[in-house]
Amino acid sequence: MRVELGCSDPEIHRRRVQERRPDLEGHRMPTWAEVRDRAWTPWPGAELRIDTAQTDVEDAADRIEEACR
């Protein structure tokens, strides 16, 4: 199952990017400007797309689990 996660709300997305902390020593997280300005296109092979601005973690996991059955 190919799942694409995205966030349609720019303010939520910005906040999440700015609050991220690296979990690997020496790893640099991208800035909001770098994320905002990158080229992005939907994944054509995704069989399930989940908007994380509208779906919490538990619901997203449930949807993925159901789609895999």
mmCIF file with all atom_site columns, all heavy atoms in Angstrom, residues 33-60:
data_model
loop_
_atom_site.group_PDB
_atom_site.id
_atom_site.type_symbol
_atom_site.label_atom_id
_atom_site.label_alt_id
_atom_site.label_comp_id
_atom_site.label_asym_id
_atom_site.label_entity_id
_atom_site.label_seq_id
_atom_site.pdbx_PDB_ins_code
_atom_site.Cartn_x
_atom_site.Cartn_y
_atom_site.Cartn_z
_atom_site.occupancy
_atom_site.B_iso_or_equiv
_atom_site.pdbx_formal_charge
_atom_site.auth_seq_id
_atom_site.auth_comp_id
_atom_site.auth_asym_id
_atom_site.auth_atom_id
_atom_site.pdbx_PDB_model_num
ATOM 1   N N   . ALA A 1 33 ? 10.884  28.232 5.140   1.00 0.00 ? 33 ALA A N   1
ATOM 2   C CA  . ALA A 1 33 ? 11.073  28.778 3.790   1.00 0.00 ? 33 ALA A CA  1
ATOM 3   C C   . ALA A 1 33 ? 11.544  27.690 2.825   1.00 0.00 ? 33 ALA A C   1
ATOM 4   O O   . ALA A 1 33 ? 11.081  27.628 1.682   1.00 0.00 ? 33 ALA A O   1
ATOM 5   C CB  . ALA A 1 33 ? 12.063  29.940 3.813   1.00 0.00 ? 33 ALA A CB  1
ATOM 6   N N   . GLU A 1 34 ? 12.442  26.826 3.275   1.00 0.00 ? 34 GLU A N   1
ATOM 7   C CA  . GLU A 1 34 ? 12.918  25.733 2.414   1.00 0.00 ? 34 GLU A CA  1
ATOM 8   C C   . GLU A 1 34 ? 11.796  24.755 2.086   1.00 0.00 ? 34 GLU A C   1
ATOM 9   O O   . GLU A 1 34 ? 11.677  24.290 0.945   1.00 0.00 ? 34 GLU A O   1
ATOM 10  C CB  . GLU A 1 34 ? 14.086  25.004 3.083   1.00 0.00 ? 34 GLU A CB  1
ATOM 11  C CG  . GLU A 1 34 ? 15.348  25.825 3.157   1.00 0.00 ? 34 GLU A CG  1
ATOM 12  C CD  . GLU A 1 34 ? 16.410  25.208 4.042   1.00 0.00 ? 34 GLU A CD  1
ATOM 13  O OE1 . GLU A 1 34 ? 16.076  24.462 4.984   1.00 0.00 ? 34 GLU A OE1 1
ATOM 14  O OE2 . GLU A 1 34 ? 17.593  25.495 3.782   1.00 0.00 ? 34 GLU A OE2 1
ATOM 15  N N   . VAL A 1 35 ? 10.975  24.439 3.067   1.00 0.00 ? 35 VAL A N   1
ATOM 16  C CA  . VAL A 1 35 ? 9.851   23.521 2.839   1.00 0.00 ? 35 VAL A CA  1
ATOM 17  C C   . VAL A 1 35 ? 8.821   24.187 1.927   1.00 0.00 ? 35 VAL A C   1
ATOM 18  O O   . VAL A 1 35 ? 8.363   23.591 0.950   1.00 0.00 ? 35 VAL A O   1
ATOM 19  C CB  . VAL A 1 35 ? 9.213   23.093 4.178   1.00 0.00 ? 35 VAL A CB  1
ATOM 20  C CG1 . VAL A 1 35 ? 7.926   22.320 3.949   1.00 0.00 ? 35 VAL A CG1 1
ATOM 21  C CG2 . VAL A 1 35 ? 10.198  22.278 4.996   1.00 0.00 ? 35 VAL A CG2 1
ATOM 22  N N   . ARG A 1 36 ? 8.466   25.408 2.229   1.00 0.00 ? 36 ARG A N   1
ATOM 23  C CA  . ARG A 1 36 ? 7.449   26.140 1.468   1.00 0.00 ? 36 ARG A CA  1
ATOM 24  C C   . ARG A 1 36 ? 7.849   26.305 0.009   1.00 0.00 ? 36 ARG A C   1
ATOM 25  O O   . ARG A 1 36 ? 7.014   26.205 -0.888  1.00 0.00 ? 36 ARG A O   1
ATOM 26  C CB  . ARG A 1 36 ? 7.223   27.499 2.110   1.00 0.00 ? 36 ARG A CB  1
ATOM 27  C CG  . ARG A 1 36 ? 6.160   28.351 1.447   1.00 0.00 ? 36 ARG A CG  1
ATOM 28  C CD  . ARG A 1 36 ? 6.249   29.793 1.880   1.00 0.00 ? 36 ARG A CD  1
ATOM 29  N NE  . ARG A 1 36 ? 7.562   30.318 1.491   1.00 0.00 ? 36 ARG A NE  1
ATOM 30  C CZ  . ARG A 1 36 ? 8.270   31.173 2.199   1.00 0.00 ? 36 ARG A CZ  1
ATOM 31  N NH1 . ARG A 1 36 ? 7.823   31.628 3.346   1.00 0.00 ? 36 ARG A NH1 1
ATOM 32  N NH2 . ARG A 1 36 ? 9.441   31.599 1.781   1.00 0.00 ? 36 ARG A NH2 1
ATOM 33  N N   . ASP A 1 37 ? 9.141   26.551 -0.238  1.00 0.00 ? 37 ASP A N   1
ATOM 34  C CA  . ASP A 1 37 ? 9.604   26.872 -1.580  1.00 0.00 ? 37 ASP A CA  1
ATOM 35  C C   . ASP A 1 37 ? 9.988   25.656 -2.421  1.00 0.00 ? 37 ASP A C   1
ATOM 36  O O   . ASP A 1 37 ? 10.299  25.816 -3.604  1.00 0.00 ? 37 ASP A O   1
ATOM 37  C CB  . ASP A 1 37 ? 10.794  27.832 -1.505  1.00 0.00 ? 37 ASP A CB  1
ATOM 38  C CG  . ASP A 1 37 ? 10.402  29.178 -0.929  1.00 0.00 ? 37 ASP A CG  1
ATOM 39  O OD1 . ASP A 1 37 ? 9.193   29.495 -0.874  1.00 0.00 ? 37 ASP A OD1 1
ATOM 40  O OD2 . ASP A 1 37 ? 11.316  29.910 -0.503  1.00 0.00 ? 37 ASP A OD2 1
ATOM 41  N N   . ARG A 1 38 ? 9.966   24.486 -1.843  1.00 0.00 ? 38 ARG A N   1
ATOM 42  C CA  . ARG A 1 38 ? 10.369  23.318 -2.626  1.00 0.00 ? 38 ARG A CA  1
ATOM 43  C C   . ARG A 1 38 ? 9.288   22.954 -3.644  1.00 0.00 ? 38 ARG A C   1
ATOM 44  O O   . ARG A 1 38 ? 8.098   23.217 -3.453  1.00 0.00 ? 38 ARG A O   1
ATOM 45  C CB  . ARG A 1 38 ? 10.649  22.129 -1.721  1.00 0.00 ? 38 ARG A CB  1
ATOM 46  C CG  . ARG A 1 38 ? 9.385   21.534 -1.176  1.00 0.00 ? 38 ARG A CG  1
ATOM 47  C CD  . ARG A 1 38 ? 9.618   20.269 -0.412  1.00 0.00 ? 38 ARG A CD  1
ATOM 48  N NE  . ARG A 1 38 ? 8.286   19.761 -0.072  1.00 0.00 ? 38 ARG A NE  1
ATOM 49  C CZ  . ARG A 1 38 ? 7.998   19.003 0.925   1.00 0.00 ? 38 ARG A CZ  1
ATOM 50  N NH1 . ARG A 1 38 ? 8.954   18.613 1.715   1.00 0.00 ? 38 ARG A NH1 1
ATOM 51  N NH2 . ARG A 1 38 ? 6.779   18.598 1.139   1.00 0.00 ? 38 ARG A NH2 1
ATOM 52  N N   . ALA A 1 39 ? 9.727   22.345 -4.714  1.00 0.00 ? 39 ALA A N   1
ATOM 53  C CA  . ALA A 1 39 ? 8.785   21.868 -5.732  1.00 0.00 ? 39 ALA A CA  1
ATOM 54  C C   . ALA A 1 39 ? 8.135   20.591 -5.215  1.00 0.00 ? 39 ALA A C   1
ATOM 55  O O   . ALA A 1 39 ? 8.817   19.690 -4.720  1.00 0.00 ? 39 ALA A O   1
ATOM 56  C CB  . ALA A 1 39 ? 9.517   21.606 -7.037  1.00 0.00 ? 39 ALA A CB  1
ATOM 57  N N   . TRP A 1 40 ? 6.826   20.522 -5.292  1.00 0.00 ? 40 TRP A N   1
ATOM 58  C CA  . TRP A 1 40 ? 6.114   19.339 -4.817  1.00 0.00 ? 40 TRP A CA  1
ATOM 59  C C   . TRP A 1 40 ? 4.975   19.030 -5.772  1.00 0.00 ? 40 TRP A C   1
ATOM 60  O O   . TRP A 1 40 ? 4.264   19.926 -6.224  1.00 0.00 ? 40 TRP A O   1
ATOM 61  C CB  . TRP A 1 40 ? 5.546   19.570 -3.412  1.00 0.00 ? 40 TRP A CB  1
ATOM 62  C CG  . TRP A 1 40 ? 4.775   18.404 -2.920  1.00 0.00 ? 40 TRP A CG  1
ATOM 63  C CD1 . TRP A 1 40 ? 5.279   17.282 -2.310  1.00 0.00 ? 40 TRP A CD1 1
ATOM 64  C CD2 . TRP A 1 40 ? 3.363   18.203 -2.986  1.00 0.00 ? 40 TRP A CD2 1
ATOM 65  N NE1 . TRP A 1 40 ? 4.276   16.405 -2.005  1.00 0.00 ? 40 TRP A NE1 1
ATOM 66  C CE2 . TRP A 1 40 ? 3.071   16.952 -2.422  1.00 0.00 ? 40 TRP A CE2 1
ATOM 67  C CE3 . TRP A 1 40 ? 2.308   18.953 -3.492  1.00 0.00 ? 40 TRP A CE3 1
ATOM 68  C CZ2 . TRP A 1 40 ? 1.788   16.441 -2.334  1.00 0.00 ? 40 TRP A CZ2 1
ATOM 69  C CZ3 . TRP A 1 40 ? 1.023   18.439 -3.401  1.00 0.00 ? 40 TRP A CZ3 1
ATOM 70  C CH2 . TRP A 1 40 ? 0.787   17.201 -2.822  1.00 0.00 ? 40 TRP A CH2 1
ATOM 71  N N   . THR A 1 41 ? 4.846   17.773 -6.086  1.00 0.00 ? 41 THR A N   1
ATOM 72  C CA  . THR A 1 41 ? 3.710   17.303 -6.873  1.00 0.00 ? 41 THR A CA  1
ATOM 73  C C   . THR A 1 41 ? 3.166   16.054 -6.200  1.00 0.00 ? 41 THR A C   1
ATOM 74  O O   . THR A 1 41 ? 3.918   15.294 -5.580  1.00 0.00 ? 41 THR A O   1
ATOM 75  C CB  . THR A 1 41 ? 4.109   16.967 -8.322  1.00 0.00 ? 41 THR A CB  1
ATOM 76  O OG1 . THR A 1 41 ? 5.163   16.011 -8.306  1.00 0.00 ? 41 THR A OG1 1
ATOM 77  C CG2 . THR A 1 41 ? 4.563   18.202 -9.079  1.00 0.00 ? 41 THR A CG2 1
ATOM 78  N N   . PRO A 1 42 ? 1.860   15.831 -6.295  1.00 0.00 ? 42 PRO A N   1
ATOM 79  C CA  . PRO A 1 42 ? 1.286   14.624 -5.689  1.00 0.00 ? 42 PRO A CA  1
ATOM 80  C C   . PRO A 1 42 ? 1.932   13.359 -6.263  1.00 0.00 ? 42 PRO A C   1
ATOM 81  O O   . PRO A 1 42 ? 2.343   13.323 -7.425  1.00 0.00 ? 42 PRO A O   1
ATOM 82  C CB  . PRO A 1 42 ? -0.189  14.700 -6.075  1.00 0.00 ? 42 PRO A CB  1
ATOM 83  C CG  . PRO A 1 42 ? -0.440  16.138 -6.353  1.00 0.00 ? 42 PRO A CG  1
ATOM 84  C CD  . PRO A 1 42 ? 0.857   16.675 -6.921  1.00 0.00 ? 42 PRO A CD  1
ATOM 85  N N   . TRP A 1 43 ? 2.005   12.341 -5.440  1.00 0.00 ? 43 TRP A N   1
ATOM 86  C CA  . TRP A 1 43 ? 2.579   11.068 -5.827  1.00 0.00 ? 43 TRP A CA  1
ATOM 87  C C   . TRP A 1 43 ? 1.555   10.326 -6.686  1.00 0.00 ? 43 TRP A C   1
ATOM 88  O O   . TRP A 1 43 ? 0.503   9.906  -6.184  1.00 0.00 ? 43 TRP A O   1
ATOM 89  C CB  . TRP A 1 43 ? 2.925   10.285 -4.575  1.00 0.00 ? 43 TRP A CB  1
ATOM 90  C CG  . TRP A 1 43 ? 3.625   8.989  -4.776  1.00 0.00 ? 43 TRP A CG  1
ATOM 91  C CD1 . TRP A 1 43 ? 4.250   8.538  -5.897  1.00 0.00 ? 43 TRP A CD1 1
ATOM 92  C CD2 . TRP A 1 43 ? 3.783   7.961  -3.803  1.00 0.00 ? 43 TRP A CD2 1
ATOM 93  N NE1 . TRP A 1 43 ? 4.794   7.301  -5.689  1.00 0.00 ? 43 TRP A NE1 1
ATOM 94  C CE2 . TRP A 1 43 ? 4.511   6.916  -4.395  1.00 0.00 ? 43 TRP A CE2 1
ATOM 95  C CE3 . TRP A 1 43 ? 3.374   7.820  -2.486  1.00 0.00 ? 43 TRP A CE3 1
ATOM 96  C CZ2 . TRP A 1 43 ? 4.837   5.755  -3.724  1.00 0.00 ? 43 TRP A CZ2 1
ATOM 97  C CZ3 . TRP A 1 43 ? 3.699   6.658  -1.819  1.00 0.00 ? 43 TRP A CZ3 1
ATOM 98  C CH2 . TRP A 1 43 ? 4.430   5.632  -2.426  1.00 0.00 ? 43 TRP A CH2 1
ATOM 99  N N   . PRO A 1 44 ? 1.821   10.136 -7.976  1.00 0.00 ? 44 PRO A N   1
ATOM 100 C CA  . PRO A 1 44 ? 0.819   9.507  -8.834  1.00 0.00 ? 44 PRO A CA  1
ATOM 101 C C   . PRO A 1 44 ? 0.518   8.060  -8.460  1.00 0.00 ? 44 PRO A C   1
ATOM 102 O O   . PRO A 1 44 ? -0.567  7.562  -8.739  1.00 0.00 ? 44 PRO A O   1
ATOM 103 C CB  . PRO A 1 44 ? 1.411   9.612  -10.239 1.00 0.00 ? 44 PRO A CB  1
ATOM 104 C CG  . PRO A 1 44 ? 2.822   10.011 -10.083 1.00 0.00 ? 44 PRO A CG  1
ATOM 105 C CD  . PRO A 1 44 ? 3.011   10.536 -8.691  1.00 0.00 ? 44 PRO A CD  1
ATOM 106 N N   . GLY A 1 45 ? 1.451   7.380  -7.807  1.00 0.00 ? 45 GLY A N   1
ATOM 107 C CA  . GLY A 1 45 ? 1.244   5.982  -7.453  1.00 0.00 ? 45 GLY A CA  1
ATOM 108 C C   . GLY A 1 45 ? 0.561   5.751  -6.114  1.00 0.00 ? 45 GLY A C   1
ATOM 109 O O   . GLY A 1 45 ? 0.315   4.614  -5.729  1.00 0.00 ? 45 GLY A O   1
ATOM 110 N N   . ALA A 1 46 ? 0.247   6.824  -5.397  1.00 0.00 ? 46 ALA A N   1
ATOM 111 C CA  . ALA A 1 46 ? -0.363  6.665  -4.070  1.00 0.00 ? 46 ALA A CA  1
ATOM 112 C C   . ALA A 1 46 ? -1.765  6.083  -4.205  1.00 0.00 ? 46 ALA A C   1
ATOM 113 O O   . ALA A 1 46 ? -2.574  6.548  -4.993  1.00 0.00 ? 46 ALA A O   1
ATOM 114 C CB  . ALA A 1 46 ? -0.415  7.992  -3.345  1.00 0.00 ? 46 ALA A CB  1
ATOM 115 N N   . GLU A 1 47 ? -2.016  5.061  -3.424  1.00 0.00 ? 47 GLU A N   1
ATOM 116 C CA  . GLU A 1 47 ? -3.339  4.427  -3.423  1.00 0.00 ? 47 GLU A CA  1
ATOM 117 C C   . GLU A 1 47 ? -4.230  5.014  -2.329  1.00 0.00 ? 47 GLU A C   1
ATOM 118 O O   . GLU A 1 47 ? -5.433  4.833  -2.347  1.00 0.00 ? 47 GLU A O   1
ATOM 119 C CB  . GLU A 1 47 ? -3.168  2.916  -3.228  1.00 0.00 ? 47 GLU A CB  1
ATOM 120 C CG  . GLU A 1 47 ? -2.401  2.305  -4.378  1.00 0.00 ? 47 GLU A CG  1
ATOM 121 C CD  . GLU A 1 47 ? -1.603  1.082  -3.997  1.00 0.00 ? 47 GLU A CD  1
ATOM 122 O OE1 . GLU A 1 47 ? -1.188  0.944  -2.834  1.00 0.00 ? 47 GLU A OE1 1
ATOM 123 O OE2 . GLU A 1 47 ? -1.381  0.274  -4.897  1.00 0.00 ? 47 GLU A OE2 1
ATOM 124 N N   . LEU A 1 48 ? -3.606  5.711  -1.393  1.00 0.00 ? 48 LEU A N   1
ATOM 125 C CA  . LEU A 1 48 ? -4.337  6.354  -0.314  1.00 0.00 ? 48 LEU A CA  1
ATOM 126 C C   . LEU A 1 48 ? -3.649  7.679  -0.012  1.00 0.00 ? 48 LEU A C   1
ATOM 127 O O   . LEU A 1 48 ? -2.426  7.730  0.126   1.00 0.00 ? 48 LEU A O   1
ATOM 128 C CB  . LEU A 1 48 ? -4.339  5.461  0.939   1.00 0.00 ? 48 LEU A CB  1
ATOM 129 C CG  . LEU A 1 48 ? -4.973  6.020  2.204   1.00 0.00 ? 48 LEU A CG  1
ATOM 130 C CD1 . LEU A 1 48 ? -6.464  6.302  1.982   1.00 0.00 ? 48 LEU A CD1 1
ATOM 131 C CD2 . LEU A 1 48 ? -4.777  5.060  3.370   1.00 0.00 ? 48 LEU A CD2 1
ATOM 132 N N   . ARG A 1 49 ? -4.444  8.726  0.066   1.00 0.00 ? 49 ARG A N   1
ATOM 133 C CA  . ARG A 1 49 ? -3.921  10.045 0.437   1.00 0.00 ? 49 ARG A CA  1
ATOM 134 C C   . ARG A 1 49 ? -4.623  10.500 1.709   1.00 0.00 ? 49 ARG A C   1
ATOM 135 O O   . ARG A 1 49 ? -5.844  10.407 1.802   1.00 0.00 ? 49 ARG A O   1
ATOM 136 C CB  . ARG A 1 49 ? -4.161  11.050 -0.682  1.00 0.00 ? 49 ARG A CB  1
ATOM 137 C CG  . ARG A 1 49 ? -3.284  10.825 -1.870  1.00 0.00 ? 49 ARG A CG  1
ATOM 138 C CD  . ARG A 1 49 ? -3.444  11.896 -2.934  1.00 0.00 ? 49 ARG A CD  1
ATOM 139 N NE  . ARG A 1 49 ? -2.440  11.728 -3.968  1.00 0.00 ? 49 ARG A NE  1
ATOM 140 C CZ  . ARG A 1 49 ? -2.550  10.891 -4.981  1.00 0.00 ? 49 ARG A CZ  1
ATOM 141 N NH1 . ARG A 1 49 ? -3.622  10.147 -5.104  1.00 0.00 ? 49 ARG A NH1 1
ATOM 142 N NH2 . ARG A 1 49 ? -1.593  10.784 -5.865  1.00 0.00 ? 49 ARG A NH2 1
ATOM 143 N N   . ILE A 1 50 ? -3.834  10.975 2.663   1.00 0.00 ? 50 ILE A N   1
ATOM 144 C CA  . ILE A 1 50 ? -4.386  11.414 3.935   1.00 0.00 ? 50 ILE A CA  1
ATOM 145 C C   . ILE A 1 50 ? -3.923  12.841 4.195   1.00 0.00 ? 50 ILE A C   1
ATOM 146 O O   . ILE A 1 50 ? -2.731  13.139 4.140   1.00 0.00 ? 50 ILE A O   1
ATOM 147 C CB  . ILE A 1 50 ? -3.946  10.488 5.084   1.00 0.00 ? 50 ILE A CB  1
ATOM 148 C CG1 . ILE A 1 50 ? -4.480  9.069  4.843   1.00 0.00 ? 50 ILE A CG1 1
ATOM 149 C CG2 . ILE A 1 50 ? -4.416  11.038 6.435   1.00 0.00 ? 50 ILE A CG2 1
ATOM 150 C CD1 . ILE A 1 50 ? -4.020  8.047  5.851   1.00 0.00 ? 50 ILE A CD1 1
ATOM 151 N N   . ASP A 1 51 ? -4.892  13.697 4.463   1.00 0.00 ? 51 ASP A N   1
ATOM 152 C CA  . ASP A 1 51 ? -4.603  15.093 4.804   1.00 0.00 ? 51 ASP A CA  1
ATOM 153 C C   . ASP A 1 51 ? -4.477  15.182 6.320   1.00 0.00 ? 51 ASP A C   1
ATOM 154 O O   . ASP A 1 51 ? -5.460  15.064 7.045   1.00 0.00 ? 51 ASP A O   1
ATOM 155 C CB  . ASP A 1 51 ? -5.732  15.994 4.306   1.00 0.00 ? 51 ASP A CB  1
ATOM 156 C CG  . ASP A 1 51 ? -5.487  17.456 4.585   1.00 0.00 ? 51 ASP A CG  1
ATOM 157 O OD1 . ASP A 1 51 ? -4.489  17.801 5.265   1.00 0.00 ? 51 ASP A OD1 1
ATOM 158 O OD2 . ASP A 1 51 ? -6.309  18.276 4.129   1.00 0.00 ? 51 ASP A OD2 1
ATOM 159 N N   . THR A 1 52 ? -3.256  15.407 6.793   1.00 0.00 ? 52 THR A N   1
ATOM 160 C CA  . THR A 1 52 ? -3.016  15.419 8.236   1.00 0.00 ? 52 THR A CA  1
ATOM 161 C C   . THR A 1 52 ? -3.531  16.681 8.911   1.00 0.00 ? 52 THR A C   1
ATOM 162 O O   . THR A 1 52 ? -3.538  16.760 10.135  1.00 0.00 ? 52 THR A O   1
ATOM 163 C CB  . THR A 1 52 ? -1.522  15.229 8.553   1.00 0.00 ? 52 THR A CB  1
ATOM 164 O OG1 . THR A 1 52 ? -0.781  16.328 8.012   1.00 0.00 ? 52 THR A OG1 1
ATOM 165 C CG2 . THR A 1 52 ? -1.006  13.907 7.986   1.00 0.00 ? 52 THR A CG2 1
ATOM 166 N N   . ALA A 1 53 ? -3.974  17.659 8.123   1.00 0.00 ? 53 ALA A N   1
ATOM 167 C CA  . ALA A 1 53 ? -4.631  18.834 8.710   1.00 0.00 ? 53 ALA A CA  1
ATOM 168 C C   . ALA A 1 53 ? -6.051  18.487 9.127   1.00 0.00 ? 53 ALA A C   1
ATOM 169 O O   . ALA A 1 53 ? -6.634  19.156 9.972   1.00 0.00 ? 53 ALA A O   1
ATOM 170 C CB  . ALA A 1 53 ? -4.649  19.997 7.719   1.00 0.00 ? 53 ALA A CB  1
ATOM 171 N N   . GLN A 1 54 ? -6.593  17.419 8.538   1.00 0.00 ? 54 GLN A N   1
ATOM 172 C CA  . GLN A 1 54 ? -7.978  17.014 8.802   1.00 0.00 ? 54 GLN A CA  1
ATOM 173 C C   . GLN A 1 54 ? -8.084  15.691 9.562   1.00 0.00 ? 54 GLN A C   1
ATOM 174 O O   . GLN A 1 54 ? -9.179  15.314 9.976   1.00 0.00 ? 54 GLN A O   1
ATOM 175 C CB  . GLN A 1 54 ? -8.726  16.860 7.470   1.00 0.00 ? 54 GLN A CB  1
ATOM 176 C CG  . GLN A 1 54 ? -8.665  18.078 6.585   1.00 0.00 ? 54 GLN A CG  1
ATOM 177 C CD  . GLN A 1 54 ? -9.374  19.265 7.185   1.00 0.00 ? 54 GLN A CD  1
ATOM 178 O OE1 . GLN A 1 54 ? -10.405 19.120 7.815   1.00 0.00 ? 54 GLN A OE1 1
ATOM 179 N NE2 . GLN A 1 54 ? -8.811  20.442 7.005   1.00 0.00 ? 54 GLN A NE2 1
ATOM 180 N N   . THR A 1 55 ? -6.965  14.991 9.718   1.00 0.00 ? 55 THR A N   1
ATOM 181 C CA  . THR A 1 55 ? -6.974  13.649 10.296  1.00 0.00 ? 55 THR A CA  1
ATOM 182 C C   . THR A 1 55 ? -5.907  13.545 11.369  1.00 0.00 ? 55 THR A C   1
ATOM 183 O O   . THR A 1 55 ? -4.749  13.866 11.114  1.00 0.00 ? 55 THR A O   1
ATOM 184 C CB  . THR A 1 55 ? -6.691  12.606 9.195   1.00 0.00 ? 55 THR A CB  1
ATOM 185 O OG1 . THR A 1 55 ? -7.608  12.804 8.118   1.00 0.00 ? 55 THR A OG1 1
ATOM 186 C CG2 . THR A 1 55 ? -6.837  11.192 9.716   1.00 0.00 ? 55 THR A CG2 1
ATOM 187 N N   . ASP A 1 56 ? -6.291  13.081 12.553  1.00 0.00 ? 56 ASP A N   1
ATOM 188 C CA  . ASP A 1 56 ? -5.278  12.921 13.603  1.00 0.00 ? 56 ASP A CA  1
ATOM 189 C C   . ASP A 1 56 ? -4.525  11.605 13.395  1.00 0.00 ? 56 ASP A C   1
ATOM 190 O O   . ASP A 1 56 ? -4.870  10.787 12.540  1.00 0.00 ? 56 ASP A O   1
ATOM 191 C CB  . ASP A 1 56 ? -5.885  13.031 15.002  1.00 0.00 ? 56 ASP A CB  1
ATOM 192 C CG  . ASP A 1 56 ? -6.865  11.923 15.345  1.00 0.00 ? 56 ASP A CG  1
ATOM 193 O OD1 . ASP A 1 56 ? -6.807  10.828 14.743  1.00 0.00 ? 56 ASP A OD1 1
ATOM 194 O OD2 . ASP A 1 56 ? -7.698  12.139 16.234  1.00 0.00 ? 56 ASP A OD2 1
ATOM 195 N N   . VAL A 1 57 ? -3.494  11.408 14.172  1.00 0.00 ? 57 VAL A N   1
ATOM 196 C CA  . VAL A 1 57 ? -2.605  10.255 14.014  1.00 0.00 ? 57 VAL A CA  1
ATOM 197 C C   . VAL A 1 57 ? -3.373  8.940  14.131  1.00 0.00 ? 57 VAL A C   1
ATOM 198 O O   . VAL A 1 57 ? -3.187  8.028  13.314  1.00 0.00 ? 57 VAL A O   1
ATOM 199 C CB  . VAL A 1 57 ? -1.451  10.307 15.045  1.00 0.00 ? 57 VAL A CB  1
ATOM 200 C CG1 . VAL A 1 57 ? -0.633  9.027  15.008  1.00 0.00 ? 57 VAL A CG1 1
ATOM 201 C CG2 . VAL A 1 57 ? -0.568  11.513 14.800  1.00 0.00 ? 57 VAL A CG2 1
ATOM 202 N N   . GLU A 1 58 ? -4.233  8.832  15.126  1.00 0.00 ? 58 GLU A N   1
ATOM 203 C CA  . GLU A 1 58 ? -4.961  7.584  15.345  1.00 0.00 ? 58 GLU A CA  1
ATOM 204 C C   . GLU A 1 58 ? -5.883  7.267  14.171  1.00 0.00 ? 58 GLU A C   1
ATOM 205 O O   . GLU A 1 58 ? -5.947  6.121  13.709  1.00 0.00 ? 58 GLU A O   1
ATOM 206 C CB  . GLU A 1 58 ? -5.756  7.636  16.651  1.00 0.00 ? 58 GLU A CB  1
ATOM 207 C CG  . GLU A 1 58 ? -4.898  7.667  17.903  1.00 0.00 ? 58 GLU A CG  1
ATOM 208 C CD  . GLU A 1 58 ? -4.326  9.058  18.214  1.00 0.00 ? 58 GLU A CD  1
ATOM 209 O OE1 . GLU A 1 58 ? -4.808  10.070 17.646  1.00 0.00 ? 58 GLU A OE1 1
ATOM 210 O OE2 . GLU A 1 58 ? -3.376  9.122  19.003  1.00 0.00 ? 58 GLU A OE2 1
ATOM 211 N N   . ASP A 1 59 ? -6.607  8.272  13.675  1.00 0.00 ? 59 ASP A N   1
ATOM 212 C CA  . ASP A 1 59 ? -7.494  8.058  12.535  1.00 0.00 ? 59 ASP A CA  1
ATOM 213 C C   . ASP A 1 59 ? -6.709  7.716  11.271  1.00 0.00 ? 59 ASP A C   1
ATOM 214 O O   . ASP A 1 59 ? -7.131  6.867  10.480  1.00 0.00 ? 59 ASP A O   1
ATOM 215 C CB  . ASP A 1 59 ? -8.383  9.274  12.295  1.00 0.00 ? 59 ASP A CB  1
ATOM 216 C CG  . ASP A 1 59 ? -9.443  9.452  13.370  1.00 0.00 ? 59 ASP A CG  1
ATOM 217 O OD1 . ASP A 1 59 ? -9.769  8.461  14.055  1.00 0.00 ? 59 ASP A OD1 1
ATOM 218 O OD2 . ASP A 1 59 ? -9.943  10.580 13.523  1.00 0.00 ? 59 ASP A OD2 1
ATOM 219 N N   . ALA A 1 60 ? -5.578  8.371  11.076  1.00 0.00 ? 60 ALA A N   1
ATOM 220 C CA  . ALA A 1 60 ? -4.739  8.069  9.913   1.00 0.00 ? 60 ALA A CA  1
ATOM 221 C C   . ALA A 1 60 ? -4.251  6.625  9.980   1.00 0.00 ? 60 ALA A C   1
ATOM 222 O O   . ALA A 1 60 ? -4.308  5.899  8.978   1.00 0.00 ? 60 ALA A O   1
ATOM 223 C CB  . ALA A 1 60 ? -3.559  9.032  9.840   1.00 0.00 ? 60 ALA A CB  1
#
